């Protein structure tokens, strides 16, 4: 039996956004959120690091949360170009995405490194959104559950709880392509992830939020969000403007 889990709709802006336009979109979203007296889901924006501080101001009092897109495992030190979980918390973040497939592919991040980053997030008091998902080739070879299962085992550390950990299932072939799995495929993978989490973390695993990500947009959000064990979405391209993102938020709010 699926537990009642509060949904999360998260926007991942990736390497997009310059200040004036980004602030305009964030403010529009904040205005809409402020009109919700009792929102039925959590809403999160993960902008590039340069926009964390201005967005933190722009969304104040709106209940929109702020998150980073990655963090280093260490709290500080000689790591040029990196940002720590503590720094993200200091900038007003409550969440951080770790192990996004673009980080795994572009920066060769292993699940072991992702696990260390998630632990760093927990150390800093952040919720870690841990991403998993198979490539097109893996899917075609029928390896989806094997790949996702291994990523889960290796990326989640002991001590993950329903509060500090969110898992995002993002089939790599669905990201930014306009392609999505069928709802039956999403249901199958999410049921598998839930069973794994329950087996390993018991009740905490039942309460962890499982997001679907990959070409979520206004036209498919409602059917994806209605799938059992889907507790929200991780949205890339369609989170960049309030006009595109708000209809997705509205499917849960
Ligand atoms: P997309 O990206 O919504 O643009 O497909 C999703 C993601 O990578 O988180």
């Amino acid at each position: 039996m699926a537990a009642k889990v509060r949904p999360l709709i998260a926007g991942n802006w990736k390497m997009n956004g310059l200040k004036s336009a980004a602030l305009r979109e964030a403010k529009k979203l904040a205005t809409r959120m402020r009109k919700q007296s009792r929102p039925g889901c959590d809403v999160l924006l993960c902008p590039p690091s340069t926009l964390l501080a201005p967005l933190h101001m722009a969304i104040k009092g709106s209940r929109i949360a702020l998150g980073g897109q990655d963090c280093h495992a260490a709290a500080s030190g000689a790591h040029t170009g990196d940002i720590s979980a503590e720094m993200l918390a200091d900038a007003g973040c409550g969440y951080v995405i770790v192990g996004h497939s673009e980080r795994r592919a572009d920066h060769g991040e292993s699940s072991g490194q992702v696990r260390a980053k998630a632990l760093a997030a927990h150390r800093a008091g952040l919720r870690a959104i841990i991403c998993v998902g198979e490539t097109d080739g893996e899917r075609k070879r029928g390896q989806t559950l094997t790949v996702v299962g291994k990523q889960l085992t290796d990326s989640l550390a002991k001590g993950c709880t329903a509060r500090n950990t969110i898992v995002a299932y993002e089939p790599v072939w669905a990201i930014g392509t306009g392609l999505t799995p069928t709802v039956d495929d999403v249901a199958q993978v999410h049921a598998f992830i839930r069973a794994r989490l329950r087996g390993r973390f018991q009740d905490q695993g039942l309460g962890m939020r499982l997001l679907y990500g990959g070409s979520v947009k206004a036209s498919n959000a409602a059917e994806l969000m209605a799938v059992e064990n889907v507790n929200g979405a991780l949205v890339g391209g369609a989170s960049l403007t309030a006009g595109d993102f708000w209809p997705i938020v509205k499917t849960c709010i």
Side-chain angles (χ1 to χ4, degrees):
M1 244 282 286
K4 183 92 189 101
V5 180
R6 184 175 170 84
L8 168 68
I9 305 292
N12 171 13
W13 284 5
K14 309 190 180 186
M15 199 173 71
N16 295 294
L18 297 176
K19 202 158 51 188
S20 70
L23 281 180
R24 197 166 57 234
E25 296 306 322
K27 281 179 185 164
K28 275 190 215 163
L29 204 63
T31 302
R32 290 177 196 186
M33 273 299 282
R34 285 191 193 97
K35 291 186 184 141
Q36 305 294 318
S37 54
R38 292 177 56 195
C41 68
D42 294 330
V43 178
L44 167 67
L45 287 178
C46 300
S49 304
T50 48
L51 293 175
L52 287 172
L55 244 69
H56 184 49
M57 297 299 292
I59 62 180
K60 231 180 196 146
S62 69
R63 279 188 279 213
I64 298 172
L66 196 63
Q69 298 177 9
D70 175 52
C71 67
H72 195 279
S76 63
H79 303 290
T80 303
D82 279 314
I83 189 161
S84 74
E86 281 76 2
M87 289 167 173
L88 292 173
D90 191 45
C93 291
Y95 296 76
V96 61
I97 300 167
V98 293
H100 189 281
S101 64
E102 286 151 15
R103 301 284 320 171
R104 291 180 188 259
D106 298 353
H107 300 269
E109 285 183 12
S110 66
S111 289
Q113 284 170 301
V114 173
R115 181 154 117 251
K117 289 174 181 223
L119 283 169
H122 298 162
R123 179 188 68 217
L126 300 179
R127 293 172 159 97
I129 302 177
I130 302 176
C131 303
V132 297
E134 82 287 358
T135 63
D136 192 35
E138 289 162 345
R139 171 187 165 82
K140 287 187 175 134
R141 290 193 293 275
Q143 296 169 338
T144 298
L145 298 185
T146 317
V147 168
V148 168
K150 176 133 180 60
Q151 287 177 334
L152 279 179
T153 303
D154 296 347
S155 307
L156 273 72
K158 220 165 68 185
C160 287
T161 65
R163 189 184 150 71
N164 69 19
T165 301
I166 295 131
V167 173
Y169 169 57
E170 298 206 303
V172 178
W173 53 271
I175 295 176
T177 58
L179 303 171
T180 49
T182 64
V183 288
D184 288 347
D185 287 343
V186 173
Q188 189 203 7
V189 179
H190 278 242
F192 168 79
I193 295 173
R194 178 68 74 207
R196 280 295 183 96
L197 295 175
R198 185 187 192 172
R200 186 159 167 209
F201 301 103
Q202 293 78 44
D203 283 358
Q204 293 298 318
L206 269 184
M208 274 178 205
R209 292 187 275 195
L210 307 188
L211 312 184
Y212 168 77
S215 296
V216 176
K217 45 186 187 273
S219 58
N220 62 19
E223 69 169 1
L224 287 164
M225 295 307 104
V227 175
E228 192 165 0
N229 287 306
V230 172
N231 315 117
L234 182 54
V235 186
S239 69
L240 291 172
T241 65
D244 286 339
F245 196 42
W246 184 249
I248 300 172
V249 171
K250 268 187 68 181
T251 63
C252 288
I253 216 156

